[in-house]
Amino acid sequence: MAGFIHDKLDIKLLVLYIMDRAAAPIDFATLTDLSLCDSGVDYFQFAEAVSELADSGHLDQQGEFYAITGKGRRACAAGESSLSPIIRRRCDQRLAPLNQALKRKAQVRAQVEERPQGFDVRLFMDDDQGSLFSLTLLSPTREDAQGIADRFLAHPDRVYNGLLGALLAGDDGREHR
């Protein structure tokens, strides 16, 4: 068989390696995409390996998302050196953009909550040090509230910069510090 992955044990180590380095829980489709980094990975063996890892307590499944457990981390640490350095490098390269997106998703959040007078739209933006801002707006309709939330999630930097620009501007419209 071609590739660096030769059997189900190799696939399990690969899955644990990926899950140990994922910044947040990931769904099966994403895990599949990340795991198919070598021609030796058979999809059906992969699916069986993920199921067995969940059954054995190495992975925790919450709905459609998987996360590594402490048991999985220990097994990964004990066995990852048997994975080819080429495979580890491929995984790390494939994980980098995913982890960046997962980190951004965790740092930029929006919630819509129904209230008697309308809908609260709660917007949150964090950085590595903590909260940059949180803002609650009242919207008359769910559609408007969801639109506000969606536009914020698509362009949080515009909202943040616009808000700062408005708050730091003097009466003449120029920014003062």
PDB file of all heavy atoms in Angstrom, residues 164 168 175-177:
ATOM      1  N   LEU A 164     -15.086  52.857  17.245  1.00  0.00           N
ATOM      2  CA  LEU A 164     -13.979  53.623  17.825  1.00  0.00           C
ATOM      3  C   LEU A 164     -13.829  54.988  17.160  1.00  0.00           C
ATOM      4  O   LEU A 164     -13.596  55.992  17.840  1.00  0.00           O
ATOM      5  CB  LEU A 164     -12.665  52.855  17.694  1.00  0.00           C
ATOM      6  CG  LEU A 164     -12.367  51.815  18.749  1.00  0.00           C
ATOM      7  CD1 LEU A 164     -11.012  51.168  18.494  1.00  0.00           C
ATOM      8  CD2 LEU A 164     -12.414  52.388  20.138  1.00  0.00           C
ATOM      9  N   LEU A 168     -14.070  58.374  19.293  1.00  0.00           N
ATOM     10  CA  LEU A 168     -12.842  59.143  19.479  1.00  0.00           C
ATOM     11  C   LEU A 168     -12.839  60.459  18.710  1.00  0.00           C
ATOM     12  O   LEU A 168     -11.930  61.269  18.888  1.00  0.00           O
ATOM     13  CB  LEU A 168     -11.625  58.303  19.060  1.00  0.00           C
ATOM     14  CG  LEU A 168     -11.343  57.080  19.941  1.00  0.00           C
ATOM     15  CD1 LEU A 168     -10.212  56.245  19.346  1.00  0.00           C
ATOM     16  CD2 LEU A 168     -11.022  57.489  21.369  1.00  0.00           C
ATOM     17  N   GLU A 175     -10.319  62.757  14.667  1.00  0.00           N
ATOM     18  CA  GLU A 175     -10.016  61.872  15.782  1.00  0.00           C
ATOM     19  C   GLU A 175      -9.084  62.554  16.780  1.00  0.00           C
ATOM     20  O   GLU A 175      -8.105  63.177  16.407  1.00  0.00           O
ATOM     21  CB  GLU A 175      -9.355  60.585  15.243  1.00  0.00           C
ATOM     22  CG  GLU A 175      -9.206  59.518  16.294  1.00  0.00           C
ATOM     23  CD  GLU A 175      -8.683  58.223  15.717  1.00  0.00           C
ATOM     24  OE1 GLU A 175      -9.282  57.701  14.764  1.00  0.00           O
ATOM     25  OE2 GLU A 175      -7.653  57.757  16.247  1.00  0.00           O
ATOM     26  N   HIS A 176      -9.420  62.461  18.046  1.00  0.00           N
ATOM     27  CA  HIS A 176      -8.597  63.020  19.127  1.00  0.00           C
ATOM     28  C   HIS A 176      -8.133  61.897  20.032  1.00  0.00           C
ATOM     29  O   HIS A 176      -8.871  60.978  20.307  1.00  0.00           O
ATOM     30  CB  HIS A 176      -9.409  64.027  19.965  1.00  0.00           C
ATOM     31  CG  HIS A 176      -9.815  65.234  19.167  1.00  0.00           C
ATOM     32  ND1 HIS A 176      -8.953  66.269  18.926  1.00  0.00           N
ATOM     33  CD2 HIS A 176     -10.981  65.552  18.540  1.00  0.00           C
ATOM     34  CE1 HIS A 176      -9.576  67.187  18.219  1.00  0.00           C
ATOM     35  NE2 HIS A 176     -10.811  66.780  17.962  1.00  0.00           N
ATOM     36  N   ARG A 177      -6.918  61.997  20.486  1.00  0.00           N
ATOM     37  CA  ARG A 177      -6.395  60.960  21.407  1.00  0.00           C
ATOM     38  C   ARG A 177      -5.744  61.621  22.575  1.00  0.00           C
ATOM     39  O   ARG A 177      -5.138  62.551  22.630  1.00  0.00           O
ATOM     40  CB  ARG A 177      -5.412  60.062  20.701  1.00  0.00           C
ATOM     41  CG  ARG A 177      -6.158  59.187  19.718  1.00  0.00           C
ATOM     42  CD  ARG A 177      -5.377  57.962  19.399  1.00  0.00           C
ATOM     43  NE  ARG A 177      -6.168  57.260  18.408  1.00  0.00           N
ATOM     44  CZ  ARG A 177      -6.115  55.983  18.225  1.00  0.00           C
ATOM     45  NH1 ARG A 177      -5.345  55.256  18.930  1.00  0.00           N
ATOM     46  NH2 ARG A 177      -6.839  55.398  17.329  1.00  0.00           N
TER      47      ARG A 177
END
